[in-house]
Coordinates of all heavy atoms in Angstrom, one line a residue:
M101 N 0.8 -1.1 0.0 CA 0.0 0.0 0.0 C 0.9 1.3 0.0 O 1.8 1.4 0.9 CB -0.9 -0.1 1.2 CG -2.2 0.7 1.2 SD -3.2 0.0 2.5 CE -4.3 1.2 2.8
G102 N 0.7 2.1 -0.9 CA 1.5 3.3 -1.0 C 1.0 4.4 0.0 O 0.1 4.3 0.7
L103 N 2.0 5.4 0.0 CA 1.8 6.5 1.0 C 0.5 7.2 0.8 O -0.2 7.6 1.8 CB 3.0 7.5 0.9 CG 2.9 8.6 1.9 CD1 2.9 8.2 3.3 CD2 4.1 9.6 1.6
V104 N 0.1 7.4 -0.4 CA -1.1 8.1 -0.8 C -2.3 7.3 -0.3 O -3.3 7.9 0.3 CB -1.2 8.3 -2.3 CG1 -2.6 8.9 -2.7 CG2 -0.2 9.3 -2.8
S105 N -2.2 6.0 -0.4 CA -3.4 5.2 0.1 C -3.5 5.3 1.6 O -4.6 5.3 2.2 CB -3.1 3.7 -0.3 OG -3.1 3.5 -1.7
Y106 N -2.3 5.2 2.3 CA -2.3 5.4 3.8 C -2.9 6.8 4.2 O -3.7 6.8 5.2 CB -1.0 5.2 4.4 CG -0.5 3.8 4.5 CD1 0.5 3.3 3.7 CD2 -1.1 2.9 5.4 CE1 0.9 2.0 3.8 CE2 -0.7 1.6 5.5 CZ 0.3 1.1 4.7 OH 0.7 -0.1 4.8
I107 N -2.6 7.8 3.5 CA -3.1 9.1 3.8 C -4.6 9.1 3.6 O -5.4 9.7 4.3 CB -2.4 10.2 2.9 CG1 -0.9 10.3 3.4 CG2 -3.1 11.6 3.0 CD1 0.0 11.2 2.5
F108 N -5.0 8.6 2.5 CA -6.5 8.5 2.2 C -7.3 7.8 3.3 O -8.3 8.2 3.7 CB -6.7 7.9 0.8 CG -8.2 7.8 0.5 CD1 -9.0 8.8 0.1 CD2 -8.8 6.5 0.6 CE1 -10.2 8.7 -0.2 CE2 -10.1 6.4 0.3 CZ -10.9 7.5 -0.1
V109 N -6.7 6.6 3.6 CA -7.4 5.9 4.7 C -7.4 6.6 6.0 O -8.4 6.6 6.7 CB -6.7 4.5 4.8 CG1 -7.2 3.7 6.1 CG2 -6.9 3.6 3.6
F110 N -6.4 7.3 6.4 CA -6.3 8.0 7.6 C -7.3 9.2 7.6 O -8.0 9.4 8.5 CB -4.9 8.6 7.8 CG -4.8 9.5 9.0 CD1 -4.8 8.9 10.3 CD2 -4.7 10.9 8.9 CE1 -4.7 9.7 11.5 CE2 -4.6 11.6 10.1 CZ -4.6 11.0 11.4
L111 N -7.3 9.9 6.4 CA -8.3 11.0 6.3 C -9.8 10.5 6.4 O -10.7 11.1 7.0 CB -8.1 11.8 5.0 CG -6.8 12.6 5.1 CD1 -6.6 13.3 3.7 CD2 -6.7 13.6 6.1
F112 N -10.0 9.4 5.7 CA -11.4 8.8 5.8 C -11.7 8.4 7.2 O -12.8 8.6 7.7 CB -11.4 7.5 4.8 CG -12.7 6.8 4.8 CD1 -13.8 7.4 4.1 CD2 -13.0 5.7 5.6 CE1 -15.0 6.8 4.0 CE2 -14.2 5.1 5.5 CZ -15.2 5.6 4.8
W113 N -10.8 7.8 8.0 CA -10.9 7.5 9.3 C -11.3 8.7 10.2 O -12.2 8.7 11.0 CB -9.7 6.7 9.8 CG -9.8 6.3 11.3 CD1 -10.5 5.3 11.8 CD2 -9.1 6.9 12.4 NE1 -10.3 5.2 13.2 CE2 -9.4 6.2 13.5 CE3 -8.2 8.0 12.5 CZ2 -8.9 6.5 14.8 CZ3 -7.7 8.3 13.7 CH2 -8.1 7.6 14.8
L114 N -10.5 9.8 10.0 CA -10.8 11.0 10.7 C -12.2 11.5 10.4 O -13.0 12.0 11.4 CB -9.8 12.1 10.4 CG -8.4 11.9 11.0 CD1 -7.5 13.1 10.5 CD2 -8.5 11.9 12.6
T115 N -12.7 11.5 9.2 CA -14.0 11.9 8.8 C -15.1 11.0 9.5 O -16.1 11.5 9.9 CB -14.1 11.9 7.3 OG1 -13.1 12.6 6.7 CG2 -15.5 12.4 6.9
A116 N -14.8 9.8 9.5 CA -15.8 8.8 10.1 C -15.9 9.1 11.6 O -17.0 9.0 12.2 CB -15.4 7.4 9.9
L117 N -14.8 9.5 12.3 CA -14.9 9.8 13.7 C -15.8 11.0 14.0 O -16.5 11.0 15.0 CB -13.5 10.1 14.3 CG -12.6 8.9 14.4 CD1 -11.3 9.4 14.9 CD2 -13.2 7.9 15.4
E118 N -15.9 12.0 13.0 CA -16.7 13.1 13.2 C -18.1 12.9 12.7 O -18.9 13.8 13.0 CB -16.0 14.3 12.5 CG -14.7 14.7 13.0 CD -14.8 15.2 14.5 OE1 -15.7 16.0 14.8 OE2 -13.9 14.8 15.2
A119 N -18.3 11.9 12.1 CA -19.8 11.6 11.5 C -20.8 11.5 12.6 O -20.5 10.9 13.7 CB -19.7 10.4 10.7
T120 N -21.9 12.0 12.4 CA -23.0 12.0 13.3 C -23.7 10.6 13.1 O -24.1 10.2 12.0 CB -24.1 13.0 13.0 OG1 -23.4 14.3 13.1 CG2 -25.2 13.0 14.0
P121 N -23.9 9.8 14.2 CA -24.5 8.5 14.0 C -25.9 8.6 13.7 O -26.6 9.6 14.0 CB -24.3 7.9 15.4 CG -24.1 9.0 16.4 CD -23.5 10.1 15.5
F122 N -26.4 7.6 13.1 CA -27.9 7.5 12.7 C -28.6 7.3 14.0 O -28.2 6.5 14.9 CB -28.2 6.4 11.7 CG -27.6 6.8 10.4 CD1 -26.4 6.1 10.0 CD2 -28.2 7.6 9.5 CE1 -25.9 6.4 8.7 CE2 -27.7 8.0 8.3 CZ -26.5 7.3 7.9
D123 N -29.8 7.8 14.1 CA -30.7 7.6 15.3 C -31.0 6.2 15.5 O -31.2 5.7 16.7 CB -31.9 8.5 15.2 CG -31.6 9.9 15.3 OD1 -30.5 10.3 15.9 OD2 -32.4 10.8 14.9
D124 N -31.2 5.4 14.4 CA -31.7 4.1 14.7 C -30.5 3.0 14.8 O -30.7 1.8 14.8 CB -32.6 3.7 13.5 CG -31.8 3.7 12.1 OD1 -30.7 4.2 12.1 OD2 -32.4 3.0 11.2
C125 N -29.3 3.5 14.9 CA -28.1 2.6 15.0 C -27.7 2.6 16.4 O -27.5 3.6 17.1 CB -27.0 3.1 14.2 SG -27.3 2.9 12.4
N126 N -27.6 1.4 17.0 CA -27.1 1.2 18.4 C -26.3 -0.1 18.3 O -26.8 -1.2 18.2 CB -28.3 1.0 19.3 CG -27.9 0.8 20.7 OD1 -26.8 0.3 21.0 ND2 -28.7 1.2 21.7
F127 N -25.0 0.1 18.4 CA -24.1 -1.1 18.2 C -24.4 -2.2 19.1 O -24.4 -3.4 18.7 CB -22.6 -0.6 18.4 CG -21.6 -1.7 18.2 CD1 -21.4 -2.1 16.9 CD2 -21.0 -2.3 19.2 CE1 -20.5 -3.1 16.7 CE2 -20.0 -3.2 19.0 CZ -19.8 -3.7 17.7
A128 N -24.6 -2.0 20.4 CA -24.9 -3.0 21.4 C -26.1 -3.8 21.0 O -26.2 -5.0 21.1 CB -25.1 -2.4 22.8
E129 N -27.2 -3.1 20.5 CA -28.4 -3.9 20.1 C -28.2 -4.6 18.8 O -28.9 -5.7 18.6 CB -29.6 -2.9 20.0 CG -30.0 -2.4 21.4 CD -31.2 -1.3 21.2 OE1 -31.7 -1.1 20.1 OE2 -31.5 -0.7 22.2
E130 N -27.4 -4.2 18.0 CA -27.2 -4.8 16.7 C -26.5 -6.1 16.8 O -26.5 -6.9 15.8 CB -26.6 -3.8 15.7 CG -27.5 -2.7 15.3 CD -26.8 -1.6 14.5 OE1 -25.6 -1.8 14.1 OE2 -27.4 -0.6 14.3
L131 N -25.8 -6.3 17.8 CA -25.0 -7.6 18.0 C -25.9 -8.7 18.3 O -25.6 -9.9 18.0 CB -24.0 -7.5 19.1 CG -22.8 -6.5 18.7 CD1 -21.9 -6.4 19.9 CD2 -22.1 -7.0 17.5
G132 N -27.1 -8.5 18.8 CA -28.0 -9.6 19.2 C -29.0 -9.9 18.1 O -28.9 -9.4 17.0
V133 N -29.9 -10.7 18.4 CA -31.0 -11.1 17.4 C -31.9 -9.8 17.2 O -32.4 -9.2 18.2 CB -31.8 -12.3 17.9 CG1 -33.0 -12.6 17.0 CG2 -30.9 -13.5 18.1
G134 N -32.3 -9.5 16.1 CA -33.2 -8.4 15.8 C -34.6 -8.7 15.9 O -35.0 -9.8 16.3
D135 N -35.5 -7.7 15.4 CA -36.9 -7.8 15.6 C -37.5 -8.9 14.7 O -38.6 -9.4 15.0 CB -37.5 -6.5 15.2 CG -37.2 -5.3 16.1 OD1 -36.8 -5.7 17.3 OD2 -37.3 -4.2 15.7
F136 N -36.8 -9.4 13.7 CA -37.4 -10.4 12.8 C -36.7 -11.8 13.2 O -37.0 -12.7 12.5 CB -37.0 -10.1 11.4 CG -37.8 -8.9 10.9 CD1 -37.2 -7.7 10.8 CD2 -39.1 -9.0 10.4 CE1 -37.9 -6.6 10.4 CE2 -39.8 -7.9 9.9 CZ -39.2 -6.7 9.9
G137 N -36.0 -11.9 14.2 CA -35.4 -13.1 14.6 C -36.2 -13.8 15.6 O -37.2 -13.4 16.2
P138 N -35.9 -15.1 15.8 CA -34.8 -15.9 15.3 C -35.0 -16.2 13.8 O -36.2 -16.0 13.4 CB -34.7 -17.1 16.2 CG -36.1 -17.3 16.7 CD -36.7 -15.9 16.8
V139 N -34.0 -16.6 13.1 CA -34.1 -17.0 11.7 C -33.8 -18.4 11.5 O -33.2 -19.1 12.3 CB -33.2 -16.1 10.9 CG1 -33.6 -14.6 11.0 CG2 -31.6 -16.2 11.3
Q140 N -34.3 -18.9 10.4 CA -34.0 -20.3 10.0 C -33.1 -20.3 8.7 O -33.3 -19.6 7.8 CB -35.3 -21.0 9.7 CG -35.3 -22.4 9.2 CD -34.8 -23.3 10.3 OE1 -35.2 -23.2 11.4 NE2 -34.0 -24.3 9.9
F141 N -32.2 -21.2 8.7 CA -31.3 -21.4 7.6 C -31.7 -22.7 6.7 O -32.0 -23.7 7.3 CB -29.9 -21.6 8.0 CG -28.9 -22.1 6.9 CD1 -28.4 -21.1 6.0 CD2 -28.6 -23.4 6.8 CE1 -27.6 -21.5 5.0 CE2 -27.7 -23.8 5.8 CZ -27.2 -22.9 4.9
E142 N -31.8 -22.5 5.4 CA -32.2 -23.6 4.5 C -31.2 -23.6 3.4 O -30.7 -22.6 2.9 CB -33.6 -23.5 3.9 CG -34.7 -23.5 5.1 CD -34.9 -24.8 5.6 OE1 -34.5 -25.9 5.0 OE2 -35.4 -24.9 6.7
S143 N -30.9 -24.8 2.8 CA -30.1 -24.9 1.7 C -30.8 -25.8 0.7 O -31.3 -26.9 1.0 CB -28.8 -25.7 2.2 OG -28.1 -26.2 1.1
I144 N -30.8 -25.4 -0.6 CA -31.5 -26.2 -1.6 C -30.5 -26.2 -2.9 O -29.7 -25.3 -3.1 CB -32.9 -25.7 -2.1 CG1 -32.8 -24.2 -2.7 CG2 -33.8 -25.6 -0.9 CD1 -34.0 -23.8 -3.3
T145 N -30.7 -27.3 -3.6 CA -29.9 -27.3 -4.9 C -30.9 -27.3 -6.0 O -31.9 -28.1 -6.0 CB -29.1 -28.6 -5.0 OG1 -28.2 -28.6 -3.9 CG2 -28.4 -28.7 -6.3
W146 N -30.8 -26.4 -7.0 CA -31.7 -26.3 -8.1 C -30.9 -26.1 -9.4 O -30.0 -25.3 -9.4 CB -32.7 -25.1 -7.9 CG -33.6 -24.9 -9.0 CD1 -34.8 -25.8 -9.3 CD2 -33.6 -23.9 -10.0 NE1 -35.3 -25.2 -10.4 CE2 -34.7 -24.1 -10.9 CE3 -32.7 -22.8 -10.1 CZ2 -35.0 -23.2 -11.9 CZ3 -33.1 -21.9 -11.2 CH2 -34.1 -22.2 -12.0
N147 N -31.1 -26.9 -10.3 CA -30.4 -26.8 -11.6 C -28.9 -26.9 -11.5 O -28.2 -26.2 -12.2 CB -30.8 -25.5 -12.3 CG -31.3 -25.6 -13.7 OD1 -31.6 -26.7 -14.1 ND2 -31.4 -24.5 -14.4
G148 N -28.5 -27.7 -10.5 CA -27.0 -27.9 -10.3 C -26.3 -26.8 -9.5 O -25.1 -26.8 -9.3
S149 N -27.1 -25.8 -9.0 CA -26.5 -24.7 -8.1 C -27.1 -24.8 -6.7 O -28.3 -25.1 -6.5 CB -26.9 -23.3 -8.8 OG -26.3 -23.2 -10.0
I150 N -26.3 -24.5 -5.7 CA -26.7 -24.5 -4.4 C -27.2 -23.1 -4.0 O -26.5 -22.0 -4.3 CB -25.5 -24.9 -3.5 CG1 -25.0 -26.3 -3.8 CG2 -26.0 -24.8 -2.0 CD1 -23.8 -26.7 -3.1
Y151 N -28.3 -23.1 -3.4 CA -28.9 -21.7 -2.9 C -29.1 -21.8 -1.4 O -29.6 -22.9 -0.9 CB -30.2 -21.5 -3.6 CG -30.0 -21.2 -5.1 CD1 -30.1 -22.3 -5.9 CD2 -29.8 -19.9 -5.6 CE1 -30.0 -22.0 -7.3 CE2 -29.7 -19.7 -6.9 CZ -29.7 -20.8 -7.8 OH -29.6 -20.5 -9.1
Y152 N -28.7 -20.7 -0.7 CA -29.0 -20.7 0.7 C -30.0 -19.7 1.0 O -30.1 -18.6 0.3 CB -27.7 -20.3 1.5 CG -26.5 -21.2 1.3 CD1 -25.3 -20.9 0.8 CD2 -26.7 -22.6 1.7 CE1 -24.3 -21.7 0.6 CE2 -25.7 -23.5 1.6 CZ -24.5 -23.1 1.0 OH -23.4 -23.9 0.9
C153 N -30.9 -19.9 2.0 CA -32.0 -19.0 2.3 C -32.0 -18.8 3.9 O -31.9 -19.9 4.6 CB -33.3 -19.6 1.8 SG -34.7 -18.6 2.2
V154 N -32.2 -17.7 4.2 CA -32.4 -17.4 5.7 C -33.6 -16.6 5.8 O -33.9 -15.6 5.1 CB -31.2 -16.6 6.3 CG1 -31.4 -16.3 7.7 CG2 -29.9 -17.3 6.1
Y155 N -34.6 -17.1 6.6 CA -35.9 -16.4 6.7 C -36.3 -16.3 8.2 O -35.9 -17.2 9.0 CB -37.0 -17.1 5.9 CG -37.2 -18.5 6.2 CD1 -38.1 -18.9 7.1 CD2 -36.4 -19.5 5.6 CE1 -38.3 -20.3 7.4 CE2 -36.6 -20.9 5.9 CZ -37.5 -21.2 6.8 OH -37.7 -22.5 7.1
P156 N -37.2 -15.3 8.6 CA -37.5 -15.2 9.9 C -38.5 -16.3 10.4 O -39.3 -16.7 9.6 CB -38.3 -13.8 10.0 CG -38.4 -13.4 8.6 CD -37.7 -14.3 7.8
T157 N -38.4 -16.6 11.6 CA -39.2 -17.7 12.2 C -39.9 -17.1 13.5 O -40.4 -17.8 14.4 CB -38.5 -19.0 12.6 OG1 -37.5 -18.7 13.5 CG2 -37.9 -19.6 11.4
T158 N -40.0 -15.8 13.6 CA -40.5 -15.1 14.7 C -42.0 -15.6 15.0 O -42.7 -15.9 14.0 CB -40.4 -13.6 14.6 OG1 -40.9 -13.0 15.8 CG2 -41.2 -13.1 13.4
S159 N -42.5 -15.5 16.2 CA -43.8 -15.8 16.5 C -44.8 -14.6 16.3 O -46.0 -14.8 16.4 CB -43.9 -16.3 18.0 OG -43.4 -15.3 18.8
Q160 N -44.2 -13.4 15.9 CA -45.0 -12.3 15.7 C -45.8 -12.5 14.4 O -45.4 -13.2 13.5 CB -44.1 -11.0 15.6 CG -43.3 -10.7 16.8 CD -42.4 -9.5 16.4 OE1 -42.5 -8.9 15.5 NE2 -41.4 -9.3 17.4
D161 N -46.9 -11.8 14.3 CA -47.7 -11.8 13.1 C -47.2 -10.9 12.1 O -47.5 -9.7 12.1 CB -49.2 -11.5 13.5 CG -50.1 -11.6 12.3 OD1 -49.7 -12.4 11.4 OD2 -51.1 -11.1 12.2
I162 N -46.3 -11.4 11.3 CA -45.7 -10.5 10.3 C -46.1 -11.0 8.9 O -46.0 -12.1 8.5 CB -44.1 -10.6 10.3 CG1 -43.6 -10.2 11.7 CG2 -43.5 -9.9 9.2 CD1 -42.1 -10.4 11.9
S163 N -46.8 -10.1 8.2 CA -47.3 -10.4 6.9 C -46.3 -10.1 5.8 O -46.4 -10.6 4.6 CB -48.7 -9.7 6.6 OG -48.4 -8.3 6.6
S164 N -45.4 -9.2 6.1 CA -44.3 -8.9 5.2 C -43.0 -8.6 5.9 O -43.1 -8.1 7.1 CB -44.7 -7.8 4.2 OG -44.9 -6.6 5.0
F165 N -41.9 -8.8 5.3 CA -40.6 -8.4 5.9 C -39.6 -8.1 4.8 O -39.8 -8.5 3.6 CB -40.1 -9.5 6.8 CG -40.2 -10.9 6.2 CD1 -39.2 -11.4 5.4 CD2 -41.3 -11.7 6.5 CE1 -39.3 -12.7 4.9 CE2 -41.4 -13.0 6.0 CZ -40.4 -13.5 5.2
P166 N -38.6 -7.4 5.0 CA -37.6 -7.0 4.0 C -36.9 -8.2 3.4 O -36.8 -9.3 4.0 CB -36.5 -6.2 4.7 CG -37.2 -5.9 6.1 CD -38.2 -6.9 6.4
L167 N -36.6 -8.2 2.1 CA -35.9 -9.2 1.4 C -34.4 -8.7 1.2 O -34.2 -7.7 0.6 CB -36.6 -9.5 0.1 CG -35.8 -10.6 -0.8 CD1 -35.7 -11.9 -0.2 CD2 -36.5 -10.7 -2.2
L168 N -33.4 -9.5 1.5 CA -32.1 -9.2 1.3 C -31.5 -10.3 0.3 O -31.6 -11.5 0.7 CB -31.3 -9.2 2.5 CG -29.8 -9.1 2.4 CD1 -29.3 -7.8 1.9 CD2 -29.1 -9.4 3.8
T169 N -31.0 -9.9 -0.8 CA -30.4 -10.9 -1.7 C -28.9 -10.6 -1.6 O -28.5 -9.4 -1.9 CB -30.9 -10.7 -3.1 OG1 -32.3 -10.9 -3.1 CG2 -30.3 -11.7 -4.0
Y170 N -28.1 -11.5 -1.3 CA -26.7 -11.3 -1.3 C -25.9 -12.3 -2.2 O -26.2 -13.5 -2.2 CB -26.2 -11.6 0.2 CG -24.7 -11.5 0.4 CD1 -24.1 -10.2 0.4 CD2 -23.9 -12.6 0.4 CE1 -22.7 -10.1 0.6 CE2 -22.5 -12.5 0.6 CZ -21.9 -11.3 0.7 OH -20.6 -11.2 0.8
M171 N -25.0 -11.8 -2.9 CA -24.2 -12.5 -3.8 C -22.7 -12.1 -3.6 O -22.4 -11.0 -3.9 CB -24.6 -12.4 -5.3 CG -23.9 -13.3 -6.2 SD -24.5 -13.1 -7.9 CE -23.7 -14.4 -8.7
H172 N -21.9 -13.0 -3.1 CA -20.5 -12.7 -2.9 C -19.8 -12.6 -4.2 O -20.1 -13.2 -5.2 CB -19.9 -13.6 -1.9 CG -19.7 -15.1 -2.3 ND1 -18.8 -15.4 -3.2 CD2 -20.5 -16.1 -2.1 CE1 -18.9 -16.7 -3.4 NE2 -19.9 -17.2 -2.8
G173 N -18.7 -11.8 -4.1 CA -17.9 -11.7 -5.4 C -16.6 -12.4 -5.3 O -15.7 -12.1 -6.0
S174 N -16.5 -13.4 -4.4 CA -15.3 -14.2 -4.3 C -15.6 -15.7 -4.4 O -16.7 -16.1 -4.5 CB -14.6 -13.9 -3.0 OG -15.3 -14.4 -1.9
T175 N -14.6 -16.5 -4.3 CA -14.9 -17.9 -4.2 C -15.0 -18.4 -2.8 O -14.7 -19.6 -2.5 CB -13.7 -18.7 -4.9 OG1 -12.5 -18.3 -4.2 CG2 -13.6 -18.3 -6.4
G176 N -15.5 -17.6 -1.9 CA -15.5 -17.9 -0.5 C -16.6 -18.9 -0.2 O -17.5 -19.2 -1.1
Q177 N -16.6 -19.4 1.0 CA -17.6 -20.4 1.5 C -18.6 -19.7 2.3 O -18.4 -18.6 2.8 CB -16.9 -21.5 2.3 CG -15.7 -22.2 1.5 CD -16.4 -23.0 0.4 OE1 -17.3 -23.7 0.5 NE2 -15.7 -23.0 -0.8
W178 N -19.8 -20.4 2.5 CA -20.9 -19.9 3.3 C -20.4 -19.5 4.7 O -20.8 -18.5 5.2 CB -22.0 -20.9 3.4 CG -22.9 -20.6 4.5 CD1 -23.0 -21.2 5.7 CD2 -24.0 -19.6 4.5 NE1 -24.1 -20.6 6.5 CE2 -24.6 -19.6 5.7 CE3 -24.4 -18.6 3.6 CZ2 -25.7 -18.8 6.0 CZ3 -25.4 -17.8 3.9 CH2 -26.0 -17.9 5.1
E179 N -19.4 -20.3 5.3 CA -19.0 -20.0 6.6 C -18.4 -18.6 6.7 O -18.3 -18.1 7.9 CB -18.0 -21.1 7.0 CG -18.6 -22.5 7.1 CD -18.8 -23.2 5.9 OE1 -18.3 -22.8 4.8 OE2 -19.5 -24.3 6.0
M180 N -17.9 -18.1 5.6 CA -17.2 -16.8 5.7 C -18.3 -15.7 5.9 O -17.9 -14.6 6.5 CB -16.5 -16.5 4.4 CG -15.3 -17.4 4.1 SD -14.6 -17.1 2.6 CE -14.0 -15.4 2.7
Y181 N -19.5 -15.9 5.6 CA -20.6 -14.9 5.6 C -21.7 -15.3 6.6 O -22.6 -14.5 6.8 CB -21.2 -14.7 4.2 CG -20.2 -14.5 3.1 CD1 -19.8 -15.6 2.3 CD2 -19.5 -13.3 3.0 CE1 -18.8 -15.4 1.3 CE2 -18.6 -13.1 2.0 CZ -18.2 -14.2 1.2 OH -17.3 -14.0 0.3
N182 N -21.7 -16.5 7.1 CA -22.8 -17.1 7.9 C -23.2 -16.1 9.1 O -24.3 -15.7 9.1 CB -22.3 -18.4 8.5 CG -23.3 -19.0 9.3 OD1 -24.5 -18.9 9.1 ND2 -22.9 -19.9 10.1
E183 N -22.3 -15.8 9.9 CA -22.7 -15.0 11.1 C -23.3 -13.6 10.8 O -24.3 -13.2 11.3 CB -21.4 -14.8 12.0 CG -21.7 -14.1 13.3 CD -20.5 -14.0 14.2 OE1 -19.6 -14.8 14.1 OE2 -20.5 -13.0 15.0
T184 N -22.6 -13.0 9.8 CA -23.1 -11.6 9.4 C -24.5 -11.7 8.8 O -25.4 -10.9 9.1 CB -22.1 -11.0 8.4 OG1 -20.9 -10.9 9.1 CG2 -22.6 -9.6 8.0
L185 N -24.7 -12.6 7.8 CA -25.9 -12.7 7.2 C -27.1 -13.2 8.1 O -28.2 -12.7 7.9 CB -25.8 -13.6 5.9 CG -24.9 -13.1 4.9 CD1 -24.8 -14.1 3.7 CD2 -25.5 -11.7 4.3
L186 N -26.8 -14.0 9.0 CA -27.8 -14.4 10.0 C -28.3 -13.3 10.9 O -29.4 -13.1 11.1 CB -27.3 -15.6 10.9 CG -27.1 -16.9 10.2 CD1 -26.5 -17.9 11.1 CD2 -28.5 -17.5 9.6
R187 N -27.3 -12.4 11.3 CA -27.5 -11.3 12.1 C -28.3 -10.2 11.3 O -29.3 -9.7 11.8 CB -26.3 -10.7 12.7 CG -26.5 -9.5 13.6 CD -25.4 -9.0 14.4 NE -24.2 -8.8 13.6 CZ -23.1 -9.5 13.7 NH1 -23.0 -10.5 14.6 NH2 -22.1 -9.2 13.0
V188 N -27.8 -10.0 10.1 CA -28.5 -8.9 9.3 C -29.9 -9.3 9.0 O -30.9 -8.5 9.0 CB -27.7 -8.7 8.0 CG1 -28.5 -7.9 7.0 CG2 -26.4 -7.9 8.3
S189 N -30.1 -10.6 8.6 CA -31.5 -11.0 8.3 C -32.5 -10.9 9.5 O -33.7 -10.7 9.3 CB -31.5 -12.5 7.7 OG -31.0 -13.4 8.6
S190 N -32.0 -11.2 10.7 CA -32.8 -11.1 11.9 C -33.2 -9.6 12.2 O -34.2 -9.4 12.8 CB -32.1 -11.7 13.1 OG -31.2 -10.8 13.7
H191 N -32.5 -8.7 11.7 CA -32.7 -7.3 11.9 C -33.6 -6.7 10.7 O -34.1 -5.5 10.8 CB -31.5 -6.5 12.0 CG -30.8 -6.6 13.3 ND1 -31.2 -5.9 14.4 CD2 -29.9 -7.5 13.7 CE1 -30.4 -6.2 15.4 NE2 -29.6 -7.2 15.0
G192 N -33.8 -7.5 9.7 CA -34.6 -7.0 8.6 C -33.9 -6.1 7.7 O -33.8 -5.1 7.4

């Protein structure tokens, strides 16, 4: 990484420190299960391709919930994204 890149990253970091947080963001609450959790993980194979699905199993009466479609851009495995996607899907 060149000097210019380090300077850019440092300036970006300084800017992020001064940024005003969003009212609906709370780091401590975001680490746990969200309003749409707990979630269920399913795996299916269709047309020779493996698809993973995570959906809410909450006991609340929810007629609709957000849909998140994620496609990684590397040759990574599910295990690399598992924890993050389960948490994000539980928050909607």
Side-chain angles (χ1 to χ4, degrees):
M101 205 161 155
L103 180 61
V104 173
S105 297
Y106 281 112
I107 292 171
F108 177 76
V109 169
F110 179 74
L111 292 174
F112 181 78
W113 179 73
L114 284 177
T115 304
L117 286 177
E118 295 297 319
T120 304
F122 293 100
D123 292 336
D124 63 346
C125 292
N126 181 332
F127 183 72
E129 290 178 7
E130 291 173 4
L131 290 178
V133 176
D135 294 338
F136 292 96
V139 295
Q140 177 69 37
F141 169 79
E142 297 289 339
S143 161
I144 63 167
T145 302
W146 179 73
N147 235 10
S149 296
I150 300 172
Y151 294 89
Y152 298 123
C153 178
V154 180
Y155 58 91
T157 59
T158 182
S159 60
Q160 298 174 12
D161 183 23
I162 299 176
S163 59
S164 66
F165 47 86
L167 173 66
L168 169 70
T169 303
Y170 176 78
M171 184 175 187
H172 65 80
S174 68
T175 58
Q177 301 295 316
W178 166 255
E179 291 79 11
M180 294 173 66
Y181 312 101
N182 179 28
E183 184 179 331
T184 300
L185 293 176
L186 291 174
R187 183 172 48 246
V188 169
S189 63
S190 78
H191 286 274

